[in-house]
Amino acid sequence: MPLRLAVACCAAVLLAFALPAAAASDPTYAALRAARPDGRTVAVRGLVLERDVFRFTFDSGTVHFLAPVEGRTVGAVFLGDGRWRLAPASTAERRHLALVTGDEKLEALEDRFDVLVLLFGDDTAAEIEMHGAAGKGAADARATAAFERHLERQRKDFATNFHLRVLHDLLDTPGLTSGAFLAFPAGGKHPPALLAVDPRGAEALRLGPLLGGEDSLLFVADERSGGLWYLSEPAAAVKAGRATPAQPAADALDYAIETTVGRNADITGRTTVRFAVLAPRLRVLPVHLLEDLRIEKAAFAPAPPGSEAQGAEAAPGAWTDLPWVQEEKDHDADAAVVFPEPLTRGQQVLVRLDYAGREVLDDVGDGTFVVGARESWYANLGVFTDPATFTLLYRVPAGRDVVSVGTRRELREEKGQSVSVWRAERPVQVAGFNYGRFKRQARTDEETQVAIEVHTSRRTQPIRLQFSAADELADVEGAPGISSAEGEGLGQIIPERLAEGILVDGLNAARVFTTYFGPLPQKQVAITQQAQWSFGQSWPSLIFMPYLSFLDGTQRQRLGLAGASSFVEEVGYHEFAHQWWGHLVGFRTLRDQWLSEGFAEFSSALALQHAEGWGKYGEFWERTRRFLLEKTRGNAVPNWQAGPITQGHRLATQRSPFAYAAIVYGKGGFVLHMLRMLMWDGASPAPDGNFIALMKDFASTFAGKQATTADFQAVVERHMTPAMNATGDGKMDWFFRQWVHGTELPRYTQDLQLESAGKDQVRVRGTVTQEGVSPDFRALLPLYLDYGKGDVMRFGTVAMVGSASKPIDATLKVTRKPRRVVLNARHEVLARD
């Protein structure tokens, strides 16, 4: 049966929506999209516009205004000679600009333009008009042509609907003259770019995920060198040490999603979301949806008190049709709905969207499908930033299976279809599903009571290589180029046989992670086979395991993938750890991505240690260290020099393509490992007790929330041991400044002699040196006696500050003869050697 909507006629007292059905398209958006230069001009010479870190100098030329919309001028085209300058507000952003431009001495970025297109919700028009007398005549064909070229770049290069951002200012904050400022220069040496200052934060421009509330950005639209070249708080906020969180206009509370999969893998869907209005006034509601899924109908209704989107029958006449925005797919197809009258803060509203299309699922044969649209297969108001509860109904061809986020509440056959209903009772970050023909194995861990399910293909399959495997395996250590031919003679995958090992790994992961991080709110996790070679993904209570993990060692050897064994060993643990880091505890923006990926990477190492011992744990961190130091051919810098952890996914540039993985995953994991080692108490019967208390505190404090790096630091400071109080102020600023916000890696050398000091004693004499760091760089460097074959005993710690040498003279009692003295034997300090 279909999901019903809880809408009562009496709810109209909450929202006075006695409104007729809306028109097919919003007239303000239509006028905005149609606006072109209208003949109003201002001749300028020496005009300067300053917007935060950007300075635009119009040496000479003419500004051609676009036709007004809602009585306001919100755009212009400049033709003439001009210059722009970007003076970065922080050292980290200056270094990032230097990296992406290849100019190591860069202090400010500059370029010229002969065309500048402006879109704005601020007082730019008035500022230009103050510079000179306005003229009025026929529209200049050159200005119109320049604007048409800009629109083509918006559609093809940026693939972002910037008109929607201006529509927000026009309809949500009418009369406000401090809205967005968007500048698109042309004619200089750089590719098409956007220079923007947006008080709503970069997130509002929809240029990528997890951009947060930082106001100023430079985005370059280029397949090779493009991306966010600059992203920052305003210069004044940076100087004051303030951060401005993104201010979402709406908070999704719950979703009801109906999805029908056709035999040709087409999708028909309906999403109903109940949300609360957070803004003082809201008319434009952005919607995230795969471009190939085309909206067919939109409607809204008031939500009764205490209602949920998956409730009872909707009252007749409760729904009012809504206009929506969705341009052509593969262009600037960002979606939104437009309410006929403003919503106000605190109101709860239901929005229903019907849509259909392809590209969500890719049928690769033998009942196997790739779920391509990971976060946008359903209409939503934001994933990983806005947790909500979910009810999900799937209709698929009979004989095929769905494994979904949530708990299955119903399964039935109906008119040649398999119908299942799933429910996520607590708010989760994102919904997802896997689809195909699966065989299920399950077991419950007696200690944690977590039930692990493994869903694999129902039958043996030949190894297939038609998934562009060379591209998918690009980040897997030891993976050569692979042809895309069919895998004849390479053997077969017997999923049922391999499922047992994956099940055991899942049970082990549940036990280790529950011990260290605390229990999960849900008591079941489904691990599913998927057809993409090296791509795993974790959803709340659902994990995708990559195709490669279902190949045995012999098959990997025959494919030339012997070096991928570490990936296969670790990927399941990594994805399982996301049940805590990423799902139970979310993260705020790209600056905080490491709280998910770095934490999951550390968790992989932790699980390996408990499964295979300290040797395997040490190998993990040594491999991670080498990856950080690596400078692949064509890279401008070694990975570790590309930027701090807080640059997030922006670290992956044309000049540093592997830095994101090395730093956010690898160095992010190393940060947790170093904290663990700082908190380690070898004299205690529970040496990890301090660290476990820290991690459980963080997980429980921020369960169901979006944590920041500052949040994590505050929890660390609650659990500081005396040794961690290196600066005597009870703060961990020294540690986070160096390892999270900084890029330095120390180098250590030693000149230590090991001498006999009589019966059962040895003497260690000499010096230890820390090099290649700033004067205030601090480290607690451990010293070990090495007995060989991995057997080491820690005998002391040296506090190092800056580039300096420290004398060592210690007499130690021993029960056997050590072979040598070593530093940093368990990678307690991430170092260059």
Side-chain angles (χ1 to χ4, degrees):
M1 60 182 179
L3 304 183
R4 302 297 184 179
L5 282 294
V7 182
C9 293
C10 62
V13 298
L14 291 176
L15 305 173
F17 289 150
L19 300 168
S25 62
D26 177 71
T28 305
Y29 175 75
L32 188 59
R33 194 79 178 188
R36 300 292 188 275
D38 66 351
R40 292 176 299 137
T41 60
V42 174
V44 295
R45 182 176 293 274
L47 169 66
V48 175
L49 295 180
E50 299 210 20
R51 298 293 185 271
D52 188 35
V53 293
F54 300 109
R55 179 183 177 92
F56 299 88
T57 302
F58 301 82
D59 293 320
S60 63
T62 303
V63 174
H64 303 258
F65 289 118
L66 304 187
V69 180
E70 295 284 308
R72 291 179 59 182
T73 297
V74 292
V77 178
F78 168 79
L79 301 179
D81 294 318
R83 296 165 284 147
W84 62 263
R85 186 174 191 271
L86 163 58
S90 68
T91 300
E93 289 301 321
R94 181 188 62 76
R95 287 176 176 166
H96 190 72
L97 275 176
L99 173 64
V100 295
T101 60
D103 182 358
E104 295 180 2
K105 298 180 180 179
L106 182 142
E107 294 295 328
L109 188 64
E110 299 178 315
D111 202 359
R112 301 197 64 86
F113 56 83
D114 52 30
V115 175
L116 182 70
V117 172
L118 298 174
L119 296 174
F120 43 82
D122 63 3
D123 58 358
T124 295
E127 191 172 348
I128 293 172
E129 287 172 335
M130 289 175 61
H131 185 78
K136 185 68 172 74
D140 189 319
R142 296 173 303 156
T144 300
F147 192 74
E148 295 293 346
R149 289 193 296 272
H150 159 73
L151 291 179
E152 187 65 12
R153 284 194 295 271
Q154 173 173 306
R155 288 189 288 263
K156 296 291 183 66
D157 296 329
F158 292 97
T160 302
N161 191 341
F162 297 113
H163 289 89
L164 272 179
R165 178 60 193 87
V166 179
L167 187 68
H168 278 287
D169 283 343
L170 283 173
L171 297 184
D172 291 355
T173 54
L176 184 72
T177 55
S178 57
F181 175 88
L182 314 180
F184 304 87
K189 61 184 178 182
H190 294 302
L194 162 66
L195 292 68
V197 178
D198 191 338
R200 288 178 178 257
E203 194 81 31
L205 291 169
R206 301 177 72 165
L207 289 164
L210 306 167
L211 301 187
E214 295 177 84
D215 292 29
S216 299
L217 63 89
L218 166 61
F219 182 86
V220 173
D222 183 78
E223 287 187 2
R224 296 187 61 199
S225 62
L228 278 164
W229 283 17
Y230 182 83
L231 177 66
S232 178
E233 300 284 359
V238 171
K239 186 175 182 180
R242 297 193 310 269
T244 305
Q247 300 295 328
D251 175 23
L253 303 175
D254 52 76
Y255 289 89
I257 302 169
E258 300 183 52
T259 302
T260 300
V261 179
R263 292 199 172 274
N264 57 357
D266 287 0
I267 291 287
T268 301
R270 166 176 283 184
T271 292
T272 303
V273 56
R274 179 173 65 99
F275 67 91
V277 180
L278 301 181
R281 173 187 169 104
L282 174 66
R283 286 194 61 194
V284 182
L285 181 69
V287 175
H288 300 274
L289 185 66
L290 181 71
E291 293 87 347
D292 288 88
L293 293 175
R294 310 307 297 172
I295 298 174
E296 297 177 340
K297 189 175 182 180
F300 79 105
S307 69
E308 292 184 341
Q310 69 282 354
E313 180 77 32
W319 294 98
T320 299
D321 287 343
L322 276 176
W324 68 87
V325 174
Q326 189 184 37
E327 299 291 336
E328 296 178 44
K329 69 173 186 175
D330 302 323
H331 289 170
D332 50 344
D334 302 311
V337 295
V338 183
F339 296 98
E341 294 293 335
L343 310 180
T344 58
R345 182 182 283 125
Q347 292 181 333
Q348 289 193 15
V349 183
L350 292 163
V351 165
R352 185 176 68 197
L353 293 170
D354 295 343
Y355 45 87
R358 312 189 73 176
E359 305 301 326
V360 171
L361 296 169
D362 183 16
D363 186 347
V364 296
D366 295 326
T368 303
F369 294 81
V370 172
V371 182
R374 301 288 176 149
E375 292 92 26
S376 56
W377 62 273
Y378 62 98
N380 66 80
L381 306 189
V383 299
F384 296 108
T385 58
D386 190 9
T389 58
F390 286 81
T391 296
L392 303 116
L393 182 150
Y394 302 92
R395 297 183 183 91
V396 303
R400 291 179 180 166
D401 305 305
V402 167
V403 186
S404 175
V405 161
T407 302
R408 193 174 69 192
R409 295 297 181 81
E410 188 177 349
L411 177 63
R412 65 182 186 273
E413 297 293 319
E414 184 179 278
K415 298 179 181 179
Q417 292 180 314
S418 175
V419 181
S420 60
V421 178
W422 303 71
R423 175 71 177 148
E425 297 284 356
R426 68 172 188 89
V428 295
Q429 309 279 356
V430 62
F433 71 101
N434 206 350
Y435 174 63
R437 293 188 174 99
F438 297 120
K439 184 171 184 178
R440 174 181 176 272
Q441 295 187 41
R443 194 178 305 168
T444 299
D445 178 52
E446 293 181 359
E447 186 173 307
T448 64
Q449 291 302 301
V450 175
I452 306 298
E453 301 177 357
V454 176
H455 297 258
T456 58
S457 175
R458 293 184 192 173
R459 58 186 179 184
T460 300
Q461 299 173 336
I463 295 175
R464 292 187 301 269
L465 297 182
Q466 69 265 36
F467 306 117
S468 302
D471 293 335
E472 291 189 35
L473 291 166
D475 294 335
V476 178
E477 185 179 354
I482 294 179
S483 79
S484 59
E486 288 290 336
E488 290 186 14
L490 294 175
Q492 293 183 318
I493 292 180
I494 308 175
E496 185 177 359
R497 189 175 68 193
L498 296 173
E500 177 65 22
I502 291 171
L503 185 61
V504 170
D505 284 348
L507 292 167
N508 288 336
R511 185 169 295 187
V512 171
F513 299 157
T514 299
T515 299
Y516 274 78
F517 313 141
L520 289 173
Q522 80 273 9
K523 288 299 182 182
Q524 77 286 329
V525 177
I527 303 172
T528 64
Q529 180 183 358
Q530 65 136 5
Q532 287 176 297
W533 269 82
S534 62
F535 188 86
Q537 184 170 357
S538 181
W539 311 79
S541 73
L542 172 65
I543 293 171
F544 285 178
M545 286 291 283
Y547 192 81
L548 184 58
S549 64
F550 289 87
L551 273 61
D552 61 33
T554 300
Q555 291 166 337
R556 294 198 303 271
Q557 181 79 33
R558 294 179 69 184
L559 283 166
L561 296 172
S565 58
S566 60
F567 170 80
V568 173
E569 290 175 348
E570 297 157 16
V571 64
Y573 293 140
H574 179 102
E575 300 305 338
F576 206 105
H578 278 310
Q579 297 301 310
W580 283 263
W581 314 121
H583 295 313
L584 177 63
V585 178
F587 58 97
R588 184 72 59 83
T589 74
L590 63 84
R591 305 286 185 191
D592 314 301
Q593 275 182 286
W594 74 285
L595 298 178
S596 174
E597 298 299 354
F599 277 43
E601 199 73 351
F602 165 80
S603 301
S604 296
L606 188 66
L608 282 174
Q609 178 212 319
H610 283 269
E612 302 187 46
W614 282 96
K616 200 74 171 180
Y617 187 70
E619 290 174 10
F620 182 100
W621 296 118
E622 175 58 21
R623 190 172 65 251
T624 299
R625 189 187 70 85
R626 291 199 308 267
F627 186 25
L628 279 162
L629 295 173
E630 188 175 88
K631 183 181 179 183
T632 308
R633 182 186 302 175
N635 281 24
V637 294
N639 287 325
W640 66 277
Q641 292 181 352
I645 291 173
T646 50
Q647 292 292 91
H649 60 70
R650 296 173 59 211
L651 289 161
T653 73
Q654 178 192 5
R655 296 168 57 79
S656 57
F658 301 108
Y660 167 61
I663 294 173
V664 172
Y665 286 64
K667 188 180 179 185
F670 234 115
V671 167
L672 266 194
H673 165 67
M674 289 190 289
L675 284 171
R676 182 193 184 195
M677 293 295 97
L678 280 172
M679 303 180 84
W680 184 269
D681 183 0
S684 169
D688 258 334
N690 294 322
F691 180 72
I692 289 172
L694 159 67
M695 299 305 289
K696 286 185 173 180
D697 186 0
F698 182 57
S700 62
T701 300
F702 290 95
K705 301 175 184 177
Q706 317 305 117
T708 66
T709 298
D711 291 331
F712 179 60
Q713 179 178 339
V715 177
V716 172
E717 288 170 352
R718 290 205 292 263
H719 295 268
M720 285 176 62
T721 63
M724 296 165 72
N725 192 17
T727 50
D729 56 2
K731 300 290 185 182
M732 290 292 289
D733 290 342
W734 67 273
F735 182 89
F736 281 80
R737 182 178 63 251
Q738 292 172 186
W739 297 113
V740 178
H741 303 289
T743 59
E744 293 180 280
L745 289 188
R747 173 175 286 117
Y748 294 106
T749 58
Q750 57 106 330
D751 181 15
L752 296 173
Q753 289 79 45
L754 184 63
E755 306 169 353
S756 175
K759 185 179 180 181
D760 299 332
Q761 288 187 325
V762 293
R763 186 179 184 184
V764 179
R765 287 195 300 173
T767 59
V768 174
T769 302
Q770 177 174 266
E771 300 175 304
V773 292
S774 56
D776 62 347
F777 188 96
R778 297 176 179 273
L780 297 174
L781 184 66
L783 305 177
Y784 288 84
L785 295 178
D786 181 7
Y787 293 95
K789 297 182 178 180
D791 183 8
V792 294
M793 184 191 77
R794 184 168 175 169
F795 70 85
T797 301
V798 183
M800 307 294 296
V801 181
S803 294
S805 294
K806 281 284 187 76
I808 304 296
D809 192 344
T811 299
L812 309 170
K813 188 172 182 178
V814 296
T815 57
R816 52 205 169 105
K817 184 178 180 180
R819 296 175 57 189
R820 57 178 181 155
V821 180
V822 295
L823 310 177
N824 210 22
R826 298 205 187 279
H827 296 93
E828 288 92 338
V829 182
L830 175 58
R832 279 184 266 177
D833 43 26

